[in-house]
Amino acid sequence: MTARPRSRMSRFNVSALVLGLAFLYLPIAILVIYSFNASKLVTVWGGWSLRWYAEFFNDRAMLDAAWMSLRVAAVSASLATLLGTLAATALSRGERFKGRTLFSGMLYAPLVMPEVITGLSLLLLFVALNAERGFWTVTIAHTTLTMCFVTVVVQARLGKLDRSLEEAAMDLGCDPLRAFVSVTLPLILPSIVAGWMLAFTLSLDDVVIASFTTGPGSATLPIRIYSEVRLGVRPQINAICTLVLGLITVVIVAASFATKLTSARGEGAAPL
């Protein structure tokens, strides 16, 4: 038998891969390195220092904005995950639902709608309801936006799921709710976690919708950074962005370990 030739990457593929990774991650690497810069000038290297991290933790306005963003992202991601999972279940299991097409169209509309229109429409809604703009208005706005992404992720997993497992559980005496919680929910848990992570990241990054729905004293971190960058980039901004990158990295690693642990338990519990 003749051995199969080993596939080797051409120089063009290697060059394209290196250029692509450099385009994506080189600016981030520069930002992280310059967050430890001792100089007041962003583009001039003045040695290694933790000065700007200390200044960030002494900046009360920035700390309040960061805490506001974390709270909004956590609450809105949790609400979006709950509502998005229910919506995905309805779309996957409701083939006979007459309003399914209209419901799915309304649900996916924010995915393609410009954020300016979404933010303006939500602002008009809150003004009509005479709602005080602050934490909850921003949270509701972010939930409205990120729920669509969670629905897409969870629905894709439900579409590939073997429904005979859930039917077998009901044949053994489980009611539909218990069968869903005991059988289906553990199987789609990785997609739910992925949807939560996506919703959390989108909420933490949003500027446009938050600028329409926020009020005095409730500015999020992206809005605060954007308002300061317009007057000039300070080295403190690099430190803040580095901390946000570190937080997101920790969340992704923790979610990956949780997903692998859940998958390993599911495979271990599966019958041979």
Side-chain angles (χ1 to χ4, degrees), residues 19 26 30 42-44 57 72 76 90 105 121 123 126 156 174 201 238:
L19 289 175
L26 185 60
I30 294 174
V42 180
T43 58
V44 178
F57 287 107
V72 169
S76 64
S121 61
L123 172 61
F126 294 141
C174 290
T201 305
N238 294 338

Side-chain angles (χ1 to χ4, degrees), residues 166-260:
E166 190 173 340
E167 294 173 356
M170 289 188 288
D171 290 340
L172 294 175
C174 290
D175 56 83
L177 179 59
R178 185 177 178 183
F180 178 83
V181 173
S182 302
V183 178
T184 306
L185 189 60
L187 294 175
I188 65 173
L189 186 59
S191 62
I192 294 176
V193 174
W196 188 93
M197 291 171 49
L198 181 59
F200 182 85
T201 305
L202 290 173
S203 174
L204 200 64
D205 179 63
D206 178 70
V207 177
V208 178
I209 294 179
S211 63
F212 279 98
T213 56
T214 191
S218 59
T220 59
L221 184 60
I223 293 178
R224 185 75 184 181
I225 293 176
Y226 178 73
S227 62
E228 294 203 3
V229 165
R230 290 186 299 175
L231 302 176
V233 179
R234 294 189 300 160
Q236 183 183 356
I237 302 298
N238 294 338
I240 298 170
C241 294
T242 301
L243 290 174
V244 173
L245 287 172
L247 173 63
I248 294 176
T249 302
V250 171
V251 171
I252 292 175
V253 172
S256 299
F257 276 113
T259 301
K260 290 182 180 180

Side-chain angles (χ1 to χ4, degrees), residues 13-23:
N13 293 335
V14 174
S15 301
L17 178 62
V18 172
L19 289 175
L21 293 176
F23 178 79

Side-chain angles (χ1 to χ4, degrees), residues 138-157:
V138 180
T139 301
I140 293 172
H142 284 183
T143 302
T144 304
L145 173 67
T146 57
M147 182 184 70
C148 312
F149 293 90
V150 176
T151 303
V152 172
V153 174
V154 177
Q155 186 181 4
R157 180 69 182 103

Side-chain angles (χ1 to χ4, degrees), residues 1-6:
M1 296 178 64
T2 58
R4 294 183 179 179
R6 296 180 179 179

